[in-house]
């Protein structure tokens, strides 16, 4: 069964360091999402791609976060510099169309010390 | 803006008992509604979805949800809880007008504990 791949699963870093997360969506899925999930809360959308184009990054803290999907396939989410408040699970998801049926990866758990 | 509210951040039931997880939506137009489940340290998985075809929606693992417009609710139920149902459950709604700008917005989640 096709899955959304994410790496790393766990990342511990010190504040002010740079962090990067990678996501490989299910083959053929044009839409890719990055969500942030703080412990005890629901996921919040950071950025949405349609192929290689950003559809919505209104909730992405652009002073420190960046995301790209250069060839419209895999994607990278970067944080520089990391802050204590960035500790969370970063979830990648993909879908065929924008109908709400998302397929999620297992997530990347970030701890900032 | 469309949103969902999940009533009760924690619910405990005995194995074999009825599971009822509550979700209310706020929407000025008929929404698309979803329930997702998240097991510990994993991503989310779609349980079921409502897209206006039928008010009673059946999902995986014996779960179902009923869309009630008069109550603006989309509660999730399962007749008999199993230990493996212990997880966090999220209600979600499509936000946005149309096309690629439509996004899934999640509620705050309900942690389900199943007691032996």
């Amino acid at each position: 069964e096709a899955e959304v791949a994410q790496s790393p699963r766990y990342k511990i870093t010190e504040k002010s360091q740079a962090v990067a997360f990678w996501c490989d969506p299910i083959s053929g899925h044009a839409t890719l999402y990055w969500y942030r999930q703080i412990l005890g809360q629901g996921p919040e959308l950071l950025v949405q791609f349609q192929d290689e184009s950003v559809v919505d990054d209104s909730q992405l803290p652009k002073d420190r976060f960046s995301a790209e999907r250069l060839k419209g396939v895999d994607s990278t989410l970067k944080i520089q510099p990391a802050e204590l408040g960035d500790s969370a699970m970063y979830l990648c998801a993909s879908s065929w169309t924008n109908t709400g049926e998302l397929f999620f990866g297992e997530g990347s758990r970030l701890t900032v010390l | 803006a469309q949103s969902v509210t999940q009533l009760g951040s924690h619910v405990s039931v005995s194995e074999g008992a009825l599971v009822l997880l509550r979700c209310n939506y706020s929407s000025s137009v008929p929404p698309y509604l979803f329930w997702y489940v998240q097991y510990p340290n994993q991503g989310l998985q779609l349980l079921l979805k409502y897209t206006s075809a039928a008010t009673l929606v059946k999902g995986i693992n014996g779960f179902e949800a009923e869309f009630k417009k008069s109550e603006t609710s989309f509660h999730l139920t399962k007749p008999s809880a199993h230990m493996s149902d212990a997880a966090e459950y999220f209600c979600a709604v499509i936000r946005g007008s149309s096309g690629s700008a439509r996004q899934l917005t999640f509620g705050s989640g309900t942690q389900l504990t199943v007691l032996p």
Side-chain angles (χ1 to χ4, degrees), chain A residues 20-68:
Chain A
F21 303 111
W22 176 80
C23 171
D24 190 12
I26 293 173
S27 178
H29 281 193
T31 310
L32 185 147
Y33 313 78
W34 282 102
Y35 281 86
R36 178 170 60 185
Q37 185 179 23
I38 295 172
L39 192 64
Q41 299 182 19
E44 296 177 318
L45 182 68
L46 290 174
V47 61
Q48 178 182 345
F49 290 92
Q50 182 70 26
D51 298 309
E52 68 277 5
S53 300
V54 173
V55 173
D56 187 345
D57 62 357
S58 58
Q59 300 303 310
L60 188 71
K62 299 181 187 64
D63 57 336
R64 297 184 301 106
F65 285 64
S66 64
E68 60 182 17

Side-chain angles (χ1 to χ4, degrees), chain A residues 9-10 35 37 40-43 45 48 50 55-56 89 91 98-102 104-107 109, chain B residues 32 34 36 38 41-46 49 88 90 94-95 99-104 106-109:
Chain A
R9 286 293 313 277
Y10 303 93
Y35 281 86
Q37 185 179 23
Q41 299 182 19
L45 182 68
Q48 178 182 345
Q50 182 70 26
V55 173
D56 187 345
M89 176 79 88
L91 294 164
N98 202 10
T99 57
E101 295 186 57
L102 273 58
F104 282 83
E106 293 187 313
R109 182 169 294 284
Chain B
Y32 283 11
F34 305 79
Y36 279 80
Q38 185 178 30
N41 293 316
Q42 294 188 24
L44 283 71
Q45 177 184 5
L46 180 66
K49 64 176 180 178
E88 188 145 25
F90 294 93
I94 283 283
R95 178 173 66 87
S100 59
R102 297 166 67 190
Q103 298 158 1
L104 198 61
F106 291 90
S108 56

Side-chain angles (χ1 to χ4, degrees), chain B:
Chain B
Q2 297 180 12
S3 66
V4 290
T5 302
Q6 292 185 241
L7 303 176
S9 58
H10 291 83
V11 170
S12 293
V13 300
S14 298
E15 190 173 19
L18 171 72
V19 175
L20 171 61
L21 305 182
R22 301 176 186 273
C23 173
N24 287 89
Y25 67 90
S26 63
S27 173
S28 58
V29 297
Y32 283 11
L33 291 161
F34 305 79
W35 276 99
Y36 279 80
V37 60
Q38 185 178 30
Y39 298 100
N41 293 316
Q42 294 188 24
L44 283 71
Q45 177 184 5
L46 180 66
L47 268 181
L48 50 80
K49 64 176 180 178
Y50 168 74
T51 57
S52 75
T55 56
L56 183 62
V57 181
K58 293 188 183 297
I60 62 172
N61 301 337
F63 284 91
E64 63 182 34
E66 185 172 7
F67 175 75
K68 291 187 177 180
K69 185 177 180 180
S70 61
E71 300 177 6
T72 61
S73 69
F74 190 58
H75 301 333
L76 181 71
T77 61
K78 182 175 180 177
S80 177
H82 191 271
M83 297 297 289
S84 61
D85 295 327
E88 188 145 25
Y89 292 80
F90 294 93
C91 184
V93 65
I94 283 283
R95 178 173 66 87
S97 55
S98 63
S100 59
R102 297 166 67 190
Q103 298 158 1
L104 198 61
T105 300
F106 291 90
S108 56
T110 298
Q111 181 68 46
L112 175 66
T113 300
V114 181
L115 305 171

Side-chain angles (χ1 to χ4, degrees), chain A residues 4-7 21-25 32-34 73-77 91-94 105:
Chain A
V4 175
Q6 287 190 247
S7 66
F21 303 111
W22 176 80
C23 171
D24 190 12
L32 185 147
Y33 313 78
W34 282 102
V73 181
D74 59 338
S75 175
T76 302
L77 177 69
L91 294 164
C92 179
S94 67

